[in-house]
């Protein structure tokens, strides 16, 4: 009976019903859109973050002081020696250590693409296979033979930071009018390595051979300012050409058997005077960024909700005034006060539910559009999410339920007022 | 005592306007038998409608009591008094007071929906509504809205709505006030026939002495007090 009367009321003034629906729908579109966006972005960032920094992994770096503007000009405060690395391996709960070394000094790289030759100073890093094993690179390629290393017939396998492609596309390619690259384009590119030589500092190669390397893949774990080759090879190059007997490591990933044991391992690492960061730290950083974004977005939605709420309240107050006579009739026919207010709340609920459903659908369509536009405009970024939004049945249900409750909350006072209408006064005019 | 379906004892009613208290009904004593046809007459503003609404449980007394079938209706809570109205009382108003967004049929069926709290009608209820439409000669207008039918048809719809729950008492406040004389008489004949055939207590407020004269008893109210409780045969004008 309540539903029957509520529906009759809604259909008798369709334009007003529609207007209220539109107002709530707009709110719900933004609510669903923002929530889906926050979810989507969080998922993407978390996924990325966990890929580079799994929760059971710590990464350590020697402390150093920046000397000047050149990012490579660092004064080391501590170092990661092979001795330290082997000590760390003995810390309880540490399952393995992936130490990254580097070729001594600065090297000069020369890459030829599209008939253009790019020469740049860079560092050559070494990584064990374990570090890059999740990046679809064949283990056999990474385990190079030690003889005839870096010749045209047997180039060194090199991987490049995924972020470097973005950087290339964004700055270099655009500036030089070169085609944009995808990760696939890069694979197979040859790189000439001139050890101990710098274009920047005008330092000349002291008769060392030019080594050949070939790009075999990409990894978010590869360092941005250079190329990464197998760590064994780096060690060999250091010994063979640069007169360095011992490896010094630039950083190391420490794998721990479980998340709970991260803390004790961290404690044990403190005595090595190194910077320690963990996946959890990275997530914390993302989370704190997120709090700011969430507050901003939710504030916008809150303001809109406030406005829509006032509109619901005023529409329903007008409705109650307009329906005073009808309320009187219904009371005379035996409807209780509670039933009167329930009819209005059901009306509000229906309006809310419809708005929630339309709002969710609208948000979904808008995000498809937004995805297309955004992804088009950042086509130079090689590794990007498929969508910036995450929708789930849970979000659909939550949006609809929220909209229903929201509309009912703001219709509550008018509904109460309706229940208090005096039937004789209502019937006398 | 049992023979009286309505017992009104020293009923007072005042309305409050700000700090001012306006007495509208003063010391009303009235007993009405089951199946009786009463007409209430009196000048405008004398308190007739107020009395009728109080019998129907739409308003409460300042002092005194109204017992219907032995129950003091002003002691009932909202739920109970609503149920009482739905089951025992049928209102008929001067302004018809139909719901404009419901059809004739839906208006008549409304008290049944309120009674069962259901959105749909049972088969028996549907049959009763159809029957009611036929009796009131409204079956051709069943799916029309109130603004599409005549005044007489509107009042017949209102009567149908009042009768559908088989009430014990029909309270009619100037039911002919908005109708032409002929239609008015038809409506009164209809109400009187219902009163006689079904034994439903009928209380009509009217300004028309011819209509008042049709009743078993006339109650005259002046300044909130009953001045005459005459049988129709004593009534002169
Ligand atoms: N809700 C109210 N508040 C204040 N005064 C009221 C209220 N309802 C009725 N009155 C007053 O009570 C008195 C009686 O009103 P009532 O409607 O009962 O008169 P009536 O006899 O039905 O008149 P009429 O023949 O014009 O319908 C009037 O003076 C009216 O102004
Ligand atoms: Mg009156």
């Amino acid at each position: 009976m309540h539903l029957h009367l509520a529906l009759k009321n809604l259909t008798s003034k369709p334009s007003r019903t529609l207007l209220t629906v539109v107002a709530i729908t707009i709110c719900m579109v933004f609510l669903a859109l923002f929530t889906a966006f926050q979810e989507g972005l969080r998922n993407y960032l978390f996924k990325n973050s966990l890929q580079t920094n799994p929760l059971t992994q710590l990464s350590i770096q020697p402390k150093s002081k920046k000397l000047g503007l050149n990012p490579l000009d660092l004064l080391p405060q501590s170092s990661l020696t092979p001795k330290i690395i082997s000590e760390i391996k003995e810390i309880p709960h540490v399952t393995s250590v992936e130490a990254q070394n580097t070729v001594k000094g600065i090297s000069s790289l020369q890459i030829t693409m599209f008939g253009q030759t790019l020469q740049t100073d860079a560092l050559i890093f070494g990584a064990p296979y374990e570090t890059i094993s999740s990046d679809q690179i064949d283990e056999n390629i990474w385990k190079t033979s030690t003889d005839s290393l870096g010749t045209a017939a047997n180039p060194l396998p090199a991987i490049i930071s995924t972020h470097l492609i973005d950087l290339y596309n964004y700055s270099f390619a655009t500036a030089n009018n070169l085609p944009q690259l995808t990760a696939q384009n890069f694979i197979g590119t040859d790189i000439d390595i001139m050890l101990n030589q710098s274009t920047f500092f005008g330092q000349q190669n002291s008769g060392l051979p030019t080594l050949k390397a070939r790009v075999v893949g990409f990894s978010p774990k590869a360092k941005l300012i250079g190329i990464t080759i197998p760590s064994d090879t780096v060690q060999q190059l250091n010994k063979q050409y640069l007169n360095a007997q011992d490896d010094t490591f630039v950083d190391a990933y420490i794998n721990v058997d479980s998340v709970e044991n991260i803390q004790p391992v961290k404690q044990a690492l403190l005595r090595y005077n190194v910077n320690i960061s963990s996946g959890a730290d990275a997530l914390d950083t993302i989370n704190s960024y997120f709090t700011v974004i969430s507050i901003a977005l939710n504030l916008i939605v809150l303001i809109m909700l406030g406005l829509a709420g006032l509109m619901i309240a005023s529409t329903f107050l007008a409705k109650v005034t307009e329906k005073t006579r009808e309320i009187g009739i219904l009371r005379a026919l035996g409807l209780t006060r509670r039933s009167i207010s329930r009819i209005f709340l059901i009306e509000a609920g229906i309006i809310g539910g419809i708005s929630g459903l339309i709002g969710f659908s609208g948000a979904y369509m808008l995000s498809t559009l937004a995805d297309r536009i955004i992804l088009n405009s950042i086509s130079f970024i090689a590794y990007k999410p498929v969508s910036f939004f995450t929708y789930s049945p849970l979000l659909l249900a939550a949006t609809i339920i929220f909209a229903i409750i929201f509309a009912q909350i703001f219709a509550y006072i008018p509904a109460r007022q309706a229940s208090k209408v005096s039937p004789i006064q209502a019937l006398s005019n | 005592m049992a023979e009286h379906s309505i017992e009104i004892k020293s009923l007072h009613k005042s309305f409050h306007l700000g700090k001012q208290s306006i007495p509208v009904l003063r010391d009303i004593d009235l007993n009405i038998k089951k199946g009786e046809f009463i007409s209430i007459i009196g000048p405008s503003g004398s308190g007739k409608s107020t009395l009728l609404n109080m019998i129907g449980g739409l308003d409460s007394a300042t002092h005194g009591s109204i017992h219907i079938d032995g129950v003091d209706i002003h002691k009932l809570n909202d739920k109970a008094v609503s149920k009482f109205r739905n089951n025992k009382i049928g209102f008929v108003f001067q302004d018809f007071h139909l719901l404009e967004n419901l059809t004739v049929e839906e208006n008549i069926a409304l008290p049944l929906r309120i009674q069962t709290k259901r959105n749909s009608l049972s088969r028996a209820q549907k049959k009763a509504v159809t029957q009611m439409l036929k009796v009131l000669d409204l079956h051709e207008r069943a799916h029309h809205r109130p603004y599409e039918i005549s005044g007489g048809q509107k009042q017949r719809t209102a009567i149908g709505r009042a009768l559908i729950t088989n009430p014990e008492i029909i309270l009619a406040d100037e039911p002919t006030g908005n109708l032409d004389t002929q239609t008015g008489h038809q409506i009164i004949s209809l109400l009187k026939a219902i009163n006689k055939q079904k034994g439903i207590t009928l209380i009509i407020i009217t300004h028309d002495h011819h209509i008042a004269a049709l009743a078993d008893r006339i109650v005259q109210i002046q300044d909130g007090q009953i001045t005459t409780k005459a049988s129709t045969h004593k009534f002169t004008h």
Side-chain angles (χ1 to χ4, degrees), chain A residues 422 424-426 428, chain B residues 13-17 22-25 40-53 59 94 173-174 205-207 221 224:
Chain A
S422 144
I424 33 165
Q425 272 175 21
S428 66
Chain B
K13 177 70 184 177
S14 314
F15 285 109
H16 297 274
L17 285 179
I22 306 160
V24 175
L25 292 177
I40 300 176
I41 57 168
S44 184
S46 56
K48 305 183 294 295
S49 297
T50 305
L51 177 61
L52 202 75
N53 289 334
D59 207 351
Q94 176 177 0
D173 193 344
E174 297 182 45
I205 294 174
T206 182
H207 285 291
I221 295 185

Side-chain angles (χ1 to χ4, degrees), chain A residues 95-167:
Chain A
T95 53
S96 64
V97 177
E98 306 164 21
Q100 327 264 314
N101 49 7
T102 177
V103 172
K104 294 268 182 260
I106 294 167
S107 305
S108 197
L109 302 185
Q110 195 169 307
I111 305 167
T112 304
M113 275 183 303
F114 312 110
Q116 292 231 8
T117 301
L118 169 73
Q119 182 150 16
T120 177
D121 284 359
L123 293 179
I124 296 163
F125 298 98
Y129 181 69
E130 210 180 343
T131 303
I132 53 146
S133 58
S134 60
D135 297 297
Q136 291 158 344
I137 291 152
D138 192 342
E139 190 167 0
N140 290 326
I141 293 179
W142 208 245
K143 298 249 160 80
T144 47
S145 57
T146 43
D147 37 280
S148 68
L149 211 56
T151 57
N154 191 14
L156 301 172
I159 56 167
I160 293 177
S161 165
T162 46
H163 308 297
L164 193 66
I165 308 173
D166 301 339
L167 213 62

Side-chain angles (χ1 to χ4, degrees), chain A residues 73-385:
Chain A
D73 239 359
L74 299 170
L75 178 71
Q77 307 278 79
S78 63
S79 60
L80 287 176
T81 58
K83 184 173 163 277
I84 292 176
I85 296 293
S86 57
E87 275 177 33
I88 291 173
K89 280 182 183 158
E90 300 307 316
I91 294 174
H93 305 298
V94 170
T95 53
S96 64
V97 177
E98 306 164 21
Q100 327 264 314
N101 49 7
T102 177
V103 172
K104 294 268 182 260
I106 294 167
S107 305
S108 197
L109 302 185
Q110 195 169 307
I111 305 167
T112 304
M113 275 183 303
F114 312 110
Q116 292 231 8
T117 301
L118 169 73
Q119 182 150 16
T120 177
D121 284 359
L123 293 179
I124 296 163
F125 298 98
Y129 181 69
E130 210 180 343
T131 303
I132 53 146
S133 58
S134 60
D135 297 297
Q136 291 158 344
I137 291 152
D138 192 342
E139 190 167 0
N140 290 326
I141 293 179
W142 208 245
K143 298 249 160 80
T144 47
S145 57
T146 43
D147 37 280
S148 68
L149 211 56
T151 57
N154 191 14
L156 301 172
I159 56 167
I160 293 177
S161 165
T162 46
H163 308 297
L164 193 66
I165 308 173
D166 301 339
L167 213 62
Y168 163 85
N169 282 336
Y170 190 55
S171 52
F172 189 75
T174 321
N176 293 289
N177 231 346
L178 291 175
Q180 305 268 304
L181 286 181
T182 63
Q184 287 311 313
N185 286 144
F186 246 121
I187 289 183
T189 304
D190 283 328
I191 303 172
D192 287 347
I193 303 172
M194 282 143 287
L195 295 173
N196 215 5
Q197 174 179 322
S198 166
T199 5
F200 193 75
F201 298 109
Q203 181 184 339
Q204 282 306 308
N205 185 312
S206 41
L208 295 174
T210 298
L211 299 173
K212 299 273 180 198
R214 181 167 293 163
V215 178
V216 295
F218 296 86
S219 171
K221 282 189 172 175
K223 307 264 177 312
L224 191 61
I225 47 170
I227 59 172
T228 300
I229 61 175
S231 48
D232 294 347
T233 312
V234 168
Q235 196 174 17
Q236 200 186 334
L237 291 176
N238 278 338
K239 271 185 195 159
Q240 196 168 333
Y241 298 113
L242 299 159
N243 213 10
Q245 285 318 305
D246 249 355
D247 257 329
T248 302
F249 298 100
V250 283
D251 61 6
Y253 293 110
I254 299 162
N255 296 308
V256 179
D257 57 5
S258 77
V259 176
E260 295 82 64
N261 292 328
I262 284 281
Q263 214 46 43
V265 172
K266 241 179 171 175
Q267 284 297 323
L269 288 170
L270 284 179
R271 65 196 189 90
Y272 295 112
N273 190 30
V274 287
N275 288 322
I276 308 166
S277 61
S278 66
D281 293 341
L283 291 191
D284 280 351
T285 315
I286 294 174
N287 259 333
S288 62
Y289 275 126
F290 250 93
T291 317
V292 178
I293 297 177
S294 302
I295 289 173
L297 293 184
N298 292 338
L299 213 64
I300 297 172
V301 173
L302 207 67
I303 292 168
M304 293 177 68
L305 283 175
L307 292 176
L310 289 181
M311 171 160 181
I312 297 170
S314 73
T315 306
F316 272 80
L317 278 178
K319 219 179 234 229
V320 170
T321 315
E322 205 174 279
K323 296 222 171 262
T324 302
R325 192 185 67 97
E326 269 186 38
I327 294 167
I329 299 169
L330 290 170
R331 299 274 286 124
L333 296 180
L335 213 64
T336 58
R337 289 209 176 100
R338 260 180 87 131
S339 290
I340 296 283
S341 69
R342 196 186 289 176
I343 290 169
F344 283 95
L345 289 179
I346 289 175
E347 269 184 60
I350 293 171
I351 287 178
I354 293 172
S355 310
L357 185 65
I358 303 175
F360 182 88
S361 321
Y364 192 83
M365 286 190 284
L366 271 182
S367 19
T368 322
L369 196 72
D371 269 341
R372 201 179 298 172
I373 292 170
I374 299 172
L375 291 176
N376 251 333
S377 65
I378 57 162
S379 56
F380 55 83
I381 292 183
Y383 287 83
K384 48 187 176 274

